[in-house]
Amino acid sequence: MNALQYAENVTEVFVFPDAYLRVKQLLESERADMDEVAEVIQLDPSLASKVLKLANSAIYSLPKKIDTIGKALVVLGAETVYNLVVSSAVISVCEQVTTNAIDMDRFWAQSVHSALIARALGNKVVPRQSEQLYVSGLLHTIGELALCQLDPELAKACEQYSATEKPWQCQRRLLGFTYAELSAALLRLWQLPPSIIEPIALQHQPDKHLRQPAVLLLNISTRLALANIHADLYKQANLLDPFVLEVLGIIEPDLRAALDFCNSEALYLLSVLNPKAGMLY
């Protein structure tokens, strides 16, 4: 099967929360009513809880705690809350995975580290896109869970990457495509915005998209996260393309600052996104 076929098959298993689709419809409407948006989110207690926990994380550096969805919409704005709903909805889907074929702690760590690093670097290079980059980082390998659900043994084999064969190389050898392609196919079926999907789809092809900073930033962020999690396997210098860093104007202190931000916030974010995850640190 190709990436799209896997994605189509798994949508029959993974059910996206109705609240997400309704929020999406409301926010895309020219007459979007924020009170109605808040009401829809609140009708899904699990979704509302995750949105509030994410909104109150240090990522947003808010001076006061947000205790209602309505207040979140006022303080953070509709776009940010929508991205929080997207993140929370996909997390709900992830909770439907029923196999232990892969290391879920590792999966979540890679997702969270990529998201936080993408946000930090995005704030420096393209501040207006940092929120979308955060979500792209969080979802950049969601396709791994799709494969895990449909073919656990194959997913387990794809996890056996090494110092000499990077994860995406292992995936292409075994599948004929990467998790980036599968993730993008799945997110398109779930009707997520192109601004979130495109960097995911193109993350392994930075040389062909030098005029798309979001693609380059996700490429750097996911690789920096990989080196941060697997320090025993990978060196930062061996994963990051110096030319891509030069194009983005990112220097070593920027990378260190992004890693510091990631390492300081990762544990809280992991506790929100996957409370059952074991601690890797």
Side-chain angles (χ1 to χ4, degrees), residues 210-225:
L210 294 175
R211 295 187 179 181
Q212 294 176 259
V215 174
L216 305 187
L217 282 163
L218 192 62
N219 171 271
I220 293 297
S221 300
T222 56
R223 281 155 175 71
L224 192 56

Side-chain angles (χ1 to χ4, degrees), residues 32-172:
D33 184 325
M34 292 302 105
D35 289 336
E36 190 174 357
V37 171
E39 184 178 348
V40 169
I41 296 173
Q42 288 165 350
L43 287 173
D44 186 327
S46 175
L47 183 64
S49 174
K50 288 185 175 69
V51 168
L52 289 175
K53 284 180 180 178
L54 290 171
N56 284 299
S57 71
I59 295 170
Y60 296 102
S61 301
L62 299 175
K64 294 183 179 180
K65 183 178 180 180
I66 292 178
D67 52 10
T68 67
I69 298 296
K71 189 180 292 185
L73 283 163
V74 172
V75 175
L76 296 174
E79 182 181 358
T80 296
V81 170
Y82 170 72
N83 286 327
L84 289 174
V85 169
V86 169
S87 303
S88 302
V90 174
I91 294 158
S92 297
V93 171
C94 294
E95 292 171 348
Q96 299 168 32
V97 174
T98 58
T99 176
N100 294 318
I102 64 168
D103 181 350
M104 291 300 295
D105 286 352
R106 188 270 314 154
F107 168 83
W108 280 111
Q110 175 68 29
S111 301
V112 165
H113 284 223
S114 296
L116 292 170
I117 292 169
R119 183 180 181 86
L121 294 178
N123 277 333
K124 171 181 169 52
V125 180
V126 282
R128 291 185 178 181
Q129 296 180 52
S130 63
E131 188 69 28
Q132 290 94 334
L133 278 163
Y134 166 79
V135 180
S136 294
L138 188 63
L139 307 182
H140 81 281
T141 189
I142 193 74
E144 181 174 8
L145 295 189
L147 182 66
C148 188
Q149 192 71 13
L150 295 172
D151 194 334
E153 290 304 312
L154 192 51
K156 190 172 183 178
C158 287
E159 201 175 28
Q160 305 308 308
Y161 46 81
S162 65
T164 56
E165 185 178 46
K166 298 175 182 68
W168 53 93
Q169 295 170 334
C170 182
Q171 294 154 22
R172 189 166 293 283

Side-chain angles (χ1 to χ4, degrees), residues 135-271:
V135 180
S136 294
L138 188 63
L139 307 182
H140 81 281
T141 189
I142 193 74
E144 181 174 8
L145 295 189
L147 182 66
C148 188
Q149 192 71 13
L150 295 172
D151 194 334
E153 290 304 312
L154 192 51
K156 190 172 183 178
C158 287
E159 201 175 28
Q160 305 308 308
Y161 46 81
S162 65
T164 56
E165 185 178 46
K166 298 175 182 68
W168 53 93
Q169 295 170 334
C170 182
Q171 294 154 22
R172 189 166 293 283
R173 174 174 60 81
L174 293 171
L175 302 173
F177 54 84
T178 67
Y179 285 150
E181 295 163 77
L182 178 51
S183 299
L186 185 58
L187 296 175
R188 287 190 187 101
L189 292 176
W190 282 337
Q191 302 177 43
L192 266 68
S195 60
I196 290 173
I197 298 172
E198 190 171 63
I200 293 173
L202 304 176
Q203 63 182 285
H204 299 311
Q205 308 167 45
D207 55 316
K208 297 179 181 178
H209 303 280
L210 294 175
R211 295 187 179 181
Q212 294 176 259
V215 174
L216 305 187
L217 282 163
L218 192 62
N219 171 271
I220 293 297
S221 300
T222 56
R223 281 155 175 71
L224 192 56
L226 186 65
N228 199 33
I229 294 166
H230 288 304
D232 56 325
L233 286 180
Y234 304 114
K235 301 278 187 194
Q236 177 180 311
N238 295 333
L239 293 179
L240 305 186
D241 186 332
F243 182 64
V244 172
L245 292 172
E246 183 179 349
V247 169
L248 291 170
I250 292 175
I251 56 178
E252 183 61 31
D254 300 323
L255 298 176
R256 286 200 302 270
L259 282 173
D260 287 344
F261 174 71
C262 169
N263 292 333
S264 68
E265 301 303 323
L267 287 179
Y268 176 80
L269 197 52
L270 279 167
S271 72

